[in-house]
Amino acid sequence: METKKTFYRDTDNKMLGGVASGLAECMNWDVTIVRLVFLFCLIFVQGSVLAYLLSWIVIPSKYNPSGGLSVGKLLLLILICVLPMILLTLVFGVMIF
């Protein structure tokens, strides 16, 4: 029986807010690769700074008793953060961060 994966910010293995290390732990990925992808996105993808900061605020820490985000809610959060930025860029040419 597969256990339900939950996404938390990993405050034990963090460099900034623990978002990348929490994602790596949730998906069983290497944290170094996730951090490199985050760094690439911060440099080249519009709005990624805002998305990271929003994730840092919204996603609870590992030791928060209120619980974490399910993988579905994580994907929804990414969609909510990224889609408006892409639409603003395509329609109005507005670049956020």
Coordinates of all heavy atoms in Angstrom, one line a residue:
M1 N 0.8 -1.2 0.0 CA 0.0 0.0 0.0 C 0.9 1.2 0.0 O 1.8 1.4 0.8 CB -0.9 0.0 1.2 CG -1.9 1.1 1.3 SD -2.9 0.8 2.7 CE -4.0 2.1 2.5
E2 N 0.6 2.1 -0.9 CA 1.4 3.3 -1.1 C 0.9 4.4 -0.1 O -0.2 4.6 0.1 CB 1.3 3.9 -2.5 CG 2.2 5.0 -2.8 CD 2.1 5.5 -4.2 OE1 2.0 4.6 -5.1 OE2 2.2 6.7 -4.4
T3 N 1.9 5.0 0.6 CA 1.6 6.1 1.5 C 1.3 7.4 0.8 O 1.9 7.6 -0.3 CB 2.7 6.3 2.6 OG1 3.9 6.7 1.9 CG2 2.9 5.0 3.4
K4 N 0.4 8.2 1.3 CA 0.1 9.5 0.7 C 1.3 10.5 0.9 O 1.7 10.7 2.0 CB -1.1 10.0 1.3 CG -1.6 11.3 0.7 CD -2.9 11.8 1.3 CE -3.3 13.1 0.7 NZ -4.5 13.6 1.4
K5 N 1.8 11.0 -0.2 CA 2.9 12.0 -0.1 C 2.3 13.3 0.3 O 1.3 13.8 -0.2 CB 3.6 12.1 -1.4 CG 4.4 10.8 -1.8 CD 5.1 11.1 -3.1 CE 5.9 9.8 -3.4 NZ 6.7 10.0 -4.6
T6 N 3.0 14.0 1.2 CA 2.6 15.3 1.7 C 3.8 16.3 1.5 O 5.0 15.9 1.8 CB 2.2 15.3 3.1 OG1 1.2 14.3 3.3 CG2 1.7 16.6 3.5
F7 N 3.6 17.5 1.0 CA 4.6 18.4 0.7 C 4.7 19.5 1.9 O 3.8 20.2 2.2 CB 4.3 19.1 -0.6 CG 5.3 20.2 -1.0 CD1 6.7 19.9 -0.9 CD2 5.0 21.4 -1.5 CE1 7.6 20.8 -1.3 CE2 5.9 22.3 -1.9 CZ 7.2 22.0 -1.8
Y8 N 5.9 19.5 2.5 CA 6.2 20.4 3.5 C 7.4 21.2 3.2 O 8.2 20.7 2.4 CB 6.5 19.7 4.9 CG 5.4 19.0 5.5 CD1 5.3 17.6 5.3 CD2 4.4 19.6 6.2 CE1 4.2 16.9 5.9 CE2 3.4 18.9 6.8 CZ 3.3 17.5 6.7 OH 2.3 16.8 7.2
R9 N 7.7 22.4 3.8 CA 9.0 23.0 3.7 C 9.9 22.3 4.6 O 9.6 22.1 5.8 CB 8.9 24.5 4.0 CG 8.2 25.3 3.0 CD 8.2 26.8 3.4 NE 7.6 27.1 4.6 CZ 8.2 27.5 5.8 NH1 9.5 27.7 5.8 NH2 7.5 27.7 6.9
D10 N 11.0 21.8 4.2 CA 12.0 21.1 5.0 C 12.9 22.1 5.7 O 13.9 22.6 5.1 CB 12.8 20.1 4.2 CG 13.7 19.3 5.0 OD1 13.7 19.4 6.2 OD2 14.5 18.5 4.4
T11 N 12.6 22.5 6.9 CA 13.4 23.5 7.6 C 14.7 23.0 8.2 O 15.5 23.7 8.6 CB 12.5 24.1 8.8 OG1 12.0 23.1 9.6 CG2 11.3 24.9 8.2
D12 N 14.9 21.7 8.2 CA 16.1 21.1 8.6 C 17.2 21.2 7.6 O 18.4 21.3 7.9 CB 15.9 19.6 9.0 CG 15.0 19.4 10.2 OD1 15.0 20.4 11.1 OD2 14.4 18.4 10.3
N13 N 16.8 21.1 6.3 CA 17.8 21.0 5.2 C 17.6 22.2 4.3 O 17.8 22.1 3.1 CB 17.6 19.7 4.4 CG 18.7 19.4 3.5 OD1 19.8 19.9 3.6 ND2 18.4 18.5 2.5
K14 N 17.3 23.3 4.8 CA 17.0 24.5 4.0 C 18.2 25.3 3.7 O 19.2 25.3 4.4 CB 16.0 25.4 4.7 CG 16.5 26.1 5.9 CD 15.4 27.0 6.5 CE 16.0 27.8 7.6 NZ 15.0 28.7 8.2
M15 N 18.2 26.1 2.6 CA 19.1 27.1 2.3 C 18.5 28.5 2.5 O 19.1 29.4 3.0 CB 19.7 26.9 0.9 CG 20.6 25.7 0.8 SD 21.6 25.7 -0.7 CE 23.0 26.6 -0.1
L16 N 17.2 28.6 2.0 CA 16.5 29.8 2.2 C 15.2 29.5 3.0 O 15.2 29.7 4.2 CB 16.1 30.5 0.9 CG 17.2 31.2 0.1 CD1 16.7 31.7 -1.2 CD2 17.7 32.4 0.9
G17 N 14.2 29.1 2.3 CA 12.9 28.8 3.0 C 12.6 27.4 3.2 O 11.6 27.0 3.8
G18 N 13.4 26.5 2.6 CA 13.1 25.1 2.6 C 12.1 24.5 1.6 O 11.7 23.4 1.7
V19 N 11.8 25.4 0.6 CA 10.8 25.0 -0.4 C 11.4 23.9 -1.3 O 10.8 22.8 -1.6 CB 10.3 26.2 -1.2 CG1 9.4 25.7 -2.3 CG2 9.6 27.2 -0.3
A20 N 12.7 24.1 -1.8 CA 13.3 23.2 -2.7 C 13.6 21.9 -2.0 O 13.4 20.8 -2.6 CB 14.6 23.8 -3.2
S21 N 14.1 21.9 -0.8 CA 14.4 20.7 -0.1 C 13.2 19.9 0.3 O 13.2 18.7 0.3 CB 15.3 21.0 1.2 OG 14.6 21.8 2.1
G22 N 12.1 20.6 0.6 CA 10.8 20.0 0.8 C 10.3 19.3 -0.4 O 9.7 18.2 -0.3
L23 N 10.4 19.9 -1.6 CA 9.9 19.3 -2.8 C 10.8 18.1 -3.1 O 10.2 17.1 -3.6 CB 10.0 20.4 -3.9 CG 9.6 19.9 -5.3 CD1 8.2 19.5 -5.4 CD2 9.9 21.0 -6.4
A24 N 12.1 18.2 -2.9 CA 13.0 17.1 -3.2 C 12.6 15.9 -2.3 O 12.6 14.7 -2.7 CB 14.4 17.5 -3.0
E25 N 12.3 16.2 -1.0 CA 12.0 15.1 -0.1 C 10.6 14.5 -0.5 O 10.5 13.2 -0.4 CB 11.9 15.6 1.3 CG 11.6 14.6 2.4 CD 11.6 15.2 3.8 OE1 12.4 16.1 4.1 OE2 10.8 14.7 4.5
C26 N 9.7 15.3 -0.9 CA 8.4 14.8 -1.2 C 8.4 13.9 -2.5 O 7.7 12.9 -2.5 CB 7.4 15.9 -1.4 SG 5.8 15.5 -2.0
M27 N 9.2 14.3 -3.5 CA 9.2 13.6 -4.7 C 10.4 12.5 -4.8 O 10.6 11.9 -5.8 CB 9.4 14.6 -5.9 CG 8.3 15.5 -6.0 SD 6.7 14.6 -6.4 CE 5.6 16.0 -6.6
N28 N 11.1 12.4 -3.7 CA 12.3 11.5 -3.7 C 13.3 11.8 -4.8 O 13.8 11.0 -5.5 CB 11.9 10.0 -3.8 CG 11.1 9.6 -2.6 OD1 11.4 10.0 -1.5 ND2 10.1 8.8 -2.8
W29 N 13.6 13.1 -4.9 CA 14.6 13.6 -5.9 C 15.8 14.1 -5.1 O 15.8 14.4 -3.9 CB 14.0 14.8 -6.7 CG 12.9 14.4 -7.6 CD1 12.5 13.2 -8.1 CD2 11.9 15.4 -8.1 NE1 11.4 13.3 -8.8 CE2 11.0 14.6 -8.9 CE3 11.7 16.7 -8.0 CZ2 10.0 15.2 -9.6 CZ3 10.7 17.3 -8.7 CH2 9.8 16.5 -9.4
D30 N 16.9 14.3 -5.8 CA 18.1 14.8 -5.2 C 18.0 16.3 -5.0 O 17.6 17.0 -5.9 CB 19.3 14.5 -6.2 CG 20.6 15.0 -5.6 OD1 20.7 15.2 -4.4 OD2 21.6 15.3 -6.4
V31 N 18.2 16.7 -3.8 CA 18.0 18.1 -3.4 C 18.9 19.1 -4.2 O 18.5 20.2 -4.6 CB 18.1 18.4 -1.9 CG1 19.5 18.2 -1.5 CG2 17.5 19.7 -1.5
T32 N 20.1 18.6 -4.6 CA 21.0 19.5 -5.4 C 20.4 19.8 -6.8 O 20.5 20.9 -7.2 CB 22.4 18.8 -5.5 OG1 22.8 18.5 -4.2 CG2 23.3 19.7 -6.2
I33 N 19.8 18.8 -7.4 CA 19.2 19.0 -8.7 C 18.0 19.9 -8.6 O 17.9 20.8 -9.4 CB 18.7 17.6 -9.3 CG1 19.9 16.6 -9.4 CG2 18.0 17.8 -10.6 CD1 21.0 17.1 -10.4
V34 N 17.2 19.8 -7.6 CA 16.0 20.7 -7.4 C 16.5 22.1 -7.2 O 15.9 23.0 -7.8 CB 15.1 20.2 -6.3 CG1 14.0 21.2 -6.0 CG2 14.6 18.8 -6.5
R35 N 17.5 22.3 -6.4 CA 18.1 23.6 -6.2 C 18.6 24.2 -7.4 O 18.5 25.5 -7.7 CB 19.1 23.6 -5.1 CG 18.5 23.4 -3.7 CD 19.5 23.4 -2.6 NE 18.9 23.3 -1.3 CZ 19.4 22.6 -0.3 NH1 20.5 21.9 -0.4 NH2 18.7 22.5 0.8
L36 N 19.3 23.4 -8.3 CA 19.8 24.0 -9.5 C 18.7 24.4 -10.5 O 18.8 25.4 -11.2 CB 20.7 22.9 -10.2 CG 22.1 22.7 -9.5 CD1 22.8 21.5 -10.2 CD2 22.9 24.0 -9.6
V37 N 17.6 23.6 -10.5 CA 16.4 23.9 -11.3 C 15.8 25.2 -10.8 O 15.4 26.1 -11.6 CB 15.4 22.8 -11.3 CG1 14.1 23.2 -12.0 CG2 16.0 21.6 -12.1
F38 N 15.7 25.4 -9.5 CA 15.2 26.6 -8.9 C 16.1 27.8 -9.2 O 15.6 28.8 -9.6 CB 15.1 26.5 -7.3 CG 13.8 25.9 -6.8 CD1 13.2 24.8 -7.4 CD2 13.2 26.5 -5.8 CE1 12.0 24.3 -6.9 CE2 12.0 26.0 -5.3 CZ 11.4 24.9 -5.9
L39 N 17.4 27.6 -9.2 CA 18.3 28.7 -9.5 C 18.1 29.1 -11.0 O 18.1 30.3 -11.3 CB 19.7 28.3 -9.3 CG 20.8 29.3 -9.6 CD1 20.6 30.5 -8.7 CD2 22.2 28.7 -9.3
F40 N 18.0 28.1 -11.9 CA 17.8 28.4 -13.3 C 16.5 29.1 -13.5 O 16.5 30.1 -14.3 CB 17.7 27.0 -14.1 CG 17.4 27.2 -15.5 CD1 18.5 27.5 -16.4 CD2 16.1 27.1 -16.0 CE1 18.2 27.7 -17.8 CE2 15.9 27.2 -17.4 CZ 16.9 27.5 -18.2
C41 N 15.5 28.7 -12.8 CA 14.2 29.4 -12.9 C 14.3 30.9 -12.4 O 13.7 31.8 -13.0 CB 13.1 28.7 -12.2 SG 12.6 27.1 -13.0
L42 N 15.0 31.0 -11.3 CA 15.1 32.4 -10.7 C 15.8 33.3 -11.7 O 15.5 34.5 -11.8 CB 15.9 32.3 -9.4 CG 15.1 31.8 -8.2 CD1 16.1 31.6 -7.0 CD2 14.0 32.7 -7.8
I43 N 16.7 32.8 -12.5 CA 17.5 33.6 -13.4 C 16.7 33.8 -14.7 O 16.7 35.0 -15.2 CB 18.9 33.0 -13.7 CG1 19.7 33.0 -12.4 CG2 19.6 33.7 -14.8 CD1 21.0 32.2 -12.6
F44 N 16.1 32.8 -15.2 CA 15.5 32.9 -16.6 C 14.0 32.9 -16.7 O 13.5 33.2 -17.8 CB 16.1 31.7 -17.4 CG 17.5 31.7 -17.6 CD1 18.4 30.9 -17.0 CD2 18.1 32.7 -18.5 CE1 19.7 30.9 -17.2 CE2 19.5 32.7 -18.7 CZ 20.3 31.9 -18.0
V45 N 13.3 32.6 -15.7 CA 11.8 32.5 -15.8 C 11.2 33.7 -15.0 O 11.5 33.9 -13.9 CB 11.3 31.1 -15.2 CG1 9.8 31.1 -15.3 CG2 11.9 30.0 -16.0
Q46 N 10.3 34.4 -15.7 CA 9.7 35.5 -15.2 C 8.7 35.1 -14.0 O 8.0 34.1 -14.2 CB 8.9 36.3 -16.2 CG 9.7 36.7 -17.4 CD 8.8 37.2 -18.5 OE1 7.6 37.2 -18.4 NE2 9.4 37.5 -19.6
G47 N 8.7 35.8 -13.0 CA 7.8 35.6 -11.9 C 8.2 34.5 -10.9 O 7.5 34.2 -10.0
S48 N 9.4 33.9 -11.1 CA 9.7 32.8 -10.3 C 10.1 33.2 -8.9 O 9.9 32.5 -7.9 CB 10.9 31.9 -10.9 OG 12.0 32.8 -11.1
V49 N 10.6 34.5 -8.7 CA 10.9 35.0 -7.4 C 9.6 35.1 -6.6 O 9.5 34.7 -5.5 CB 11.6 36.3 -7.5 CG1 11.8 37.0 -6.1 CG2 13.0 36.2 -8.1
L50 N 8.6 35.7 -7.3 CA 7.3 35.9 -6.6 C 6.7 34.5 -6.3 O 6.1 34.3 -5.2 CB 6.3 36.6 -7.6 CG 4.9 36.9 -7.0 CD1 5.0 37.8 -5.8 CD2 4.1 37.6 -8.1
A51 N 6.8 33.5 -7.2 CA 6.3 32.2 -6.9 C 7.0 31.5 -5.8 O 6.3 30.9 -4.9 CB 6.4 31.3 -8.2
Y52 N 8.3 31.7 -5.7 CA 9.0 31.1 -4.6 C 8.6 31.8 -3.2 O 8.4 31.1 -2.2 CB 10.5 31.3 -4.8 CG 11.3 30.6 -3.7 CD1 11.7 29.2 -3.8 CD2 11.7 31.2 -2.5 CE1 12.4 28.6 -2.8 CE2 12.4 30.6 -1.5 CZ 12.8 29.3 -1.7 OH 13.5 28.6 -0.7
L53 N 8.5 33.1 -3.2 CA 8.1 33.8 -2.0 C 6.7 33.4 -1.6 O 6.4 33.2 -0.4 CB 8.2 35.3 -2.2 CG 9.6 35.8 -2.3 CD1 9.6 37.3 -2.6 CD2 10.5 35.6 -1.1
L54 N 5.8 33.3 -2.5 CA 4.4 32.8 -2.2 C 4.4 31.4 -1.7 O 3.7 31.1 -0.7 CB 3.6 32.9 -3.5 CG 2.1 32.6 -3.3 CD1 1.4 33.5 -2.3 CD2 1.4 32.6 -4.6
S55 N 5.2 30.6 -2.3 CA 5.4 29.2 -1.8 C 5.9 29.1 -0.4 O 5.5 28.4 0.5 CB 6.3 28.4 -2.7 OG 5.7 28.3 -4.0
W56 N 6.9 30.0 -0.1 CA 7.5 30.1 1.2 C 6.4 30.5 2.3 O 6.4 29.9 3.4 CB 8.6 31.1 1.2 CG 9.5 31.1 2.4 CD1 9.4 30.5 3.6 CD2 10.8 31.8 2.4 NE1 10.4 30.8 4.4 CE2 11.3 31.6 3.7 CE3 11.5 32.6 1.6 CZ2 12.5 32.1 4.1 CZ3 12.7 33.1 2.0 CH2 13.2 32.9 3.2
I57 N 5.5 31.4 1.9 CA 4.5 31.8 2.8 C 3.4 30.8 3.0 O 2.9 30.5 4.1 CB 3.9 33.2 2.3 CG1 5.0 34.3 2.4 CG2 2.7 33.6 3.1 CD1 4.6 35.5 1.6
V58 N 3.0 30.2 1.9 CA 1.8 29.3 1.9 C 2.1 27.9 2.4 O 1.3 27.3 3.1 CB 1.2 29.3 0.5 CG1 0.1 28.2 0.4 CG2 0.6 30.6 0.1
I59 N 3.2 27.4 2.0 CA 3.5 26.0 2.4 C 4.0 25.9 3.8 O 4.9 26.6 4.2 CB 4.5 25.4 1.4 CG1 4.0 25.4 0.0 CG2 4.9 24.0 1.8 CD1 5.1 25.2 -1.1
P60 N 3.3 25.1 4.6 CA 3.7 25.0 6.0 C 5.0 24.3 6.2 O 5.4 23.5 5.4 CB 2.6 24.2 6.7 CG 2.0 23.4 5.6 CD 2.2 24.2 4.3
S61 N 5.7 24.5 7.3 CA 6.9 23.8 7.6 C 6.7 22.4 8.1 O 5.5 22.1 8.4 CB 7.7 24.6 8.7 OG 7.1 24.4 10.0
K62 N 7.7 21.6 8.1 CA 7.6 20.2 8.4 C 7.0 20.0 9.8 O 6.3 19.0 10.0 CB 9.0 19.6 8.3 CG 9.0 18.1 8.3 CD 10.4 17.7 8.0 CE 10.5 16.2 7.7 NZ 11.9 15.8 7.4
Y63 N 7.3 20.9 10.7 CA 6.9 20.7 12.1 C 5.6 21.4 12.4 O 5.3 21.5 13.6 CB 8.0 21.1 13.0 CG 9.3 20.3 12.7 CD1 10.4 20.9 12.1 CD2 9.3 18.9 13.0 CE1 11.5 20.1 11.8 CE2 10.4 18.2 12.7 CZ 11.5 18.8 12.1 OH 12.6 18.0 11.8
N64 N 4.9 21.9 11.4 CA 3.7 22.7 11.7 C 2.6 21.6 11.9 O 2.3 20.8 11.0 CB 3.4 23.6 10.5 CG 2.2 24.5 10.7 OD1 1.4 24.3 11.6 ND2 2.1 25.5 9.9
P65 N 1.8 21.7 12.9 CA 0.8 20.6 13.2 C -0.4 20.7 12.3 O -1.2 19.8 12.2 CB 0.4 20.9 14.6 CG 0.8 22.3 14.9 CD 2.0 22.6 14.0
S66 N -0.5 21.8 11.5 CA -1.7 21.9 10.7 C -1.6 21.1 9.4 O -2.6 21.0 8.7 CB -1.9 23.4 10.3 OG -0.8 23.8 9.4
G67 N -0.5 20.5 9.1 CA -0.4 19.6 8.0 C 0.2 20.3 6.8 O 0.2 21.5 6.7
G68 N 0.6 19.5 5.8 CA 1.2 20.0 4.6 C 0.3 20.0 3.4 O -0.9 19.8 3.6
L69 N 0.8 20.2 2.2 CA 0.0 20.2 1.0 C 0.1 18.9 0.4 O 1.2 18.3 0.3 CB 0.6 21.3 0.1 CG 0.5 22.7 0.5 CD1 1.1 23.6 -0.5 CD2 -1.0 23.1 0.6
S70 N -1.0 18.4 -0.2 CA -0.9 17.2 -1.0 C -0.3 17.5 -2.3 O -0.1 18.7 -2.7 CB -2.3 16.6 -1.2 OG -3.1 17.5 -1.9
V71 N 0.1 16.5 -3.1 CA 0.8 16.7 -4.3 C -0.2 17.4 -5.3 O 0.2 18.3 -6.1 CB 1.3 15.4 -4.9 CG1 1.8 15.6 -6.3 CG2 2.3 14.8 -4.0
G72 N -1.5 17.1 -5.2 CA -2.5 17.8 -6.1 C -2.6 19.3 -5.8 O -2.6 20.1 -6.7
K73 N -2.6 19.6 -4.5 CA -2.6 21.0 -4.1 C -1.3 21.7 -4.4 O -1.4 22.9 -4.8 CB -2.9 21.1 -2.6 CG -4.3 20.8 -2.2 CD -4.5 21.0 -0.7 CE -5.9 20.6 -0.3 NZ -6.1 20.7 1.2
L74 N -0.2 21.0 -4.4 CA 1.0 21.6 -4.8 C 1.0 22.0 -6.3 O 1.4 23.1 -6.7 CB 2.2 20.6 -4.6 CG 3.5 21.0 -5.2 CD1 4.1 22.3 -4.6 CD2 4.5 19.8 -5.0
L75 N 0.5 21.1 -7.1 CA 0.4 21.4 -8.6 C -0.6 22.5 -8.8 O -0.3 23.4 -9.7 CB -0.1 20.1 -9.3 CG 0.9 19.0 -9.3 CD1 0.4 17.8 -10.0 CD2 2.2 19.4 -10.0
L76 N -1.7 22.6 -8.1 CA -2.6 23.7 -8.2 C -2.0 25.0 -7.8 O -2.2 26.0 -8.4 CB -3.8 23.4 -7.3 CG -4.9 24.5 -7.4 CD1 -5.5 24.6 -8.8 CD2 -6.0 24.2 -6.4
L77 N -1.1 25.0 -6.7 CA -0.4 26.2 -6.3 C 0.5 26.7 -7.4 O 0.6 27.9 -7.7 CB 0.3 25.9 -5.0 CG 1.2 27.1 -4.5 CD1 0.4 28.3 -4.1 CD2 2.1 26.6 -3.4
I78 N 1.2 25.8 -8.0 CA 2.1 26.1 -9.1 C 1.4 26.7 -10.3 O 1.8 27.7 -10.8 CB 3.0 24.9 -9.5 CG1 3.9 24.5 -8.4 CG2 3.7 25.2 -10.8 CD1 4.6 23.2 -8.7
L79 N 0.2 26.1 -10.6 CA -0.6 26.6 -11.7 C -1.1 28.0 -11.4 O -1.1 28.9 -12.2 CB -1.8 25.7 -12.0 CG -2.7 26.1 -13.1 CD1 -2.0 26.0 -14.4 CD2 -3.9 25.2 -13.1
I80 N -1.6 28.3 -10.2 CA -2.1 29.6 -9.8 C -1.0 30.6 -9.8 O -1.2 31.8 -10.1 CB -2.7 29.5 -8.4 CG1 -4.0 28.7 -8.4 CG2 -3.0 30.9 -7.8 CD1 -4.6 28.4 -7.1
C81 N 0.2 30.3 -9.4 CA 1.3 31.2 -9.4 C 1.9 31.5 -10.8 O 2.2 32.7 -11.2 CB 2.5 30.7 -8.6 SG 2.2 30.6 -6.9
V82 N 2.0 30.5 -11.7 CA 2.6 30.7 -13.0 C 1.7 31.1 -14.1 O 2.1 32.0 -14.9 CB 3.3 29.3 -13.3 CG1 3.9 29.4 -14.7 CG2 4.4 29.0 -12.3
L83 N 0.5 30.7 -14.1 CA -0.4 31.0 -15.2 C -0.7 32.5 -15.4 O -0.6 33.0 -16.5 CB -1.7 30.2 -15.1 CG -2.7 30.3 -16.3 CD1 -2.0 29.7 -17.5 CD2 -4.0 29.5 -16.0
P84 N -1.0 33.2 -14.3 CA -1.2 34.7 -14.5 C 0.1 35.4 -15.0 O -0.1 36.3 -15.8 CB -1.6 35.2 -13.1 CG -2.1 34.0 -12.3 CD -1.3 32.8 -12.9
M85 N 1.2 35.0 -14.5 CA 2.5 35.6 -15.0 C 2.7 35.4 -16.5 O 3.1 36.3 -17.2 CB 3.6 35.1 -14.2 CG 3.6 35.5 -12.8 SD 5.0 34.8 -11.9 CE 4.1 34.0 -10.6
I86 N 2.4 34.2 -17.0 CA 2.5 33.9 -18.4 C 1.5 34.7 -19.2 O 1.8 35.3 -20.2 CB 2.3 32.4 -18.6 CG1 3.5 31.6 -18.0 CG2 2.2 32.1 -20.1 CD1 3.3 30.1 -18.0
L87 N 0.3 34.8 -18.7 CA -0.8 35.5 -19.4 C -0.4 37.0 -19.5 O -0.6 37.7 -20.5 CB -2.1 35.3 -18.8 CG -2.7 33.9 -18.9 CD1 -4.0 33.8 -18.1 CD2 -3.0 33.6 -20.4
L88 N 0.0 37.6 -18.3 CA 0.4 39.0 -18.3 C 1.5 39.3 -19.3 O 1.5 40.3 -20.0 CB 0.9 39.4 -16.9 CG -0.2 39.7 -15.9 CD1 0.4 39.9 -14.5 CD2 -1.0 40.9 -16.3
T89 N 2.5 38.4 -19.4 CA 3.6 38.5 -20.4 C 3.1 38.4 -21.8 O 3.5 39.3 -22.6 CB 4.7 37.5 -20.1 OG1 5.1 37.6 -18.7 CG2 5.9 37.7 -21.0
L90 N 2.3 37.5 -22.1 CA 1.8 37.3 -23.5 C 0.8 38.4 -23.9 O 0.9 38.9 -25.0 CB 1.1 35.9 -23.6 CG 2.0 34.7 -23.5 CD1 1.2 33.4 -23.5 CD2 3.1 34.7 -24.5
V91 N -0.1 38.8 -23.1 CA -1.1 39.7 -23.5 C -0.6 41.2 -23.4 O -0.8 41.9 -24.4 CB -2.4 39.6 -22.6 CG1 -3.4 40.7 -22.9 CG2 -3.0 38.2 -22.8
F92 N 0.1 41.5 -22.3 CA 0.4 42.9 -22.2 C 1.9 43.2 -22.3 O 2.4 44.4 -22.2 CB 0.0 43.4 -20.8 CG -1.5 43.4 -20.6 CD1 -2.1 42.4 -19.7 CD2 -2.4 44.2 -21.3 CE1 -3.4 42.3 -19.6 CE2 -3.7 44.1 -21.1 CZ -4.3 43.2 -20.3
G93 N 2.7 42.2 -22.3 CA 4.2 42.4 -22.3 C 4.7 42.8 -21.0 O 5.8 43.3 -20.9
V94 N 4.0 42.6 -19.9 CA 4.4 43.0 -18.6 C 5.2 41.8 -18.0 O 4.8 40.7 -18.0 CB 3.1 43.2 -17.7 CG1 3.6 43.5 -16.3 CG2 2.3 44.3 -18.2
M95 N 6.4 42.2 -17.5 CA 7.2 41.2 -16.9 C 7.3 41.4 -15.4 O 7.6 42.5 -14.9 CB 8.7 41.3 -17.4 CG 8.7 41.0 -18.9 SD 10.4 41.2 -19.6 CE 11.2 39.8 -18.9
I96 N 6.9 40.4 -14.6 CA 6.9 40.5 -13.2 C 8.2 39.8 -12.7 O 8.5 38.7 -13.0 CB 5.7 39.7 -12.6 CG1 4.4 40.3 -13.1 CG2 5.8 39.8 -11.0 CD1 3.2 39.6 -12.7
F97 N 9.0 40.6 -12.0 CA 10.3 40.2 -11.5 C 11.1 39.7 -12.7 O 11.8 38.8 -12.7 CB 10.2 39.1 -10.4 CG 9.7 39.6 -9.1 CD1 8.4 39.8 -8.9 CD2 10.6 40.0 -8.2 CE1 7.9 40.3 -7.7 CE2 10.2 40.5 -6.9 CZ 8.8 40.6 -6.7

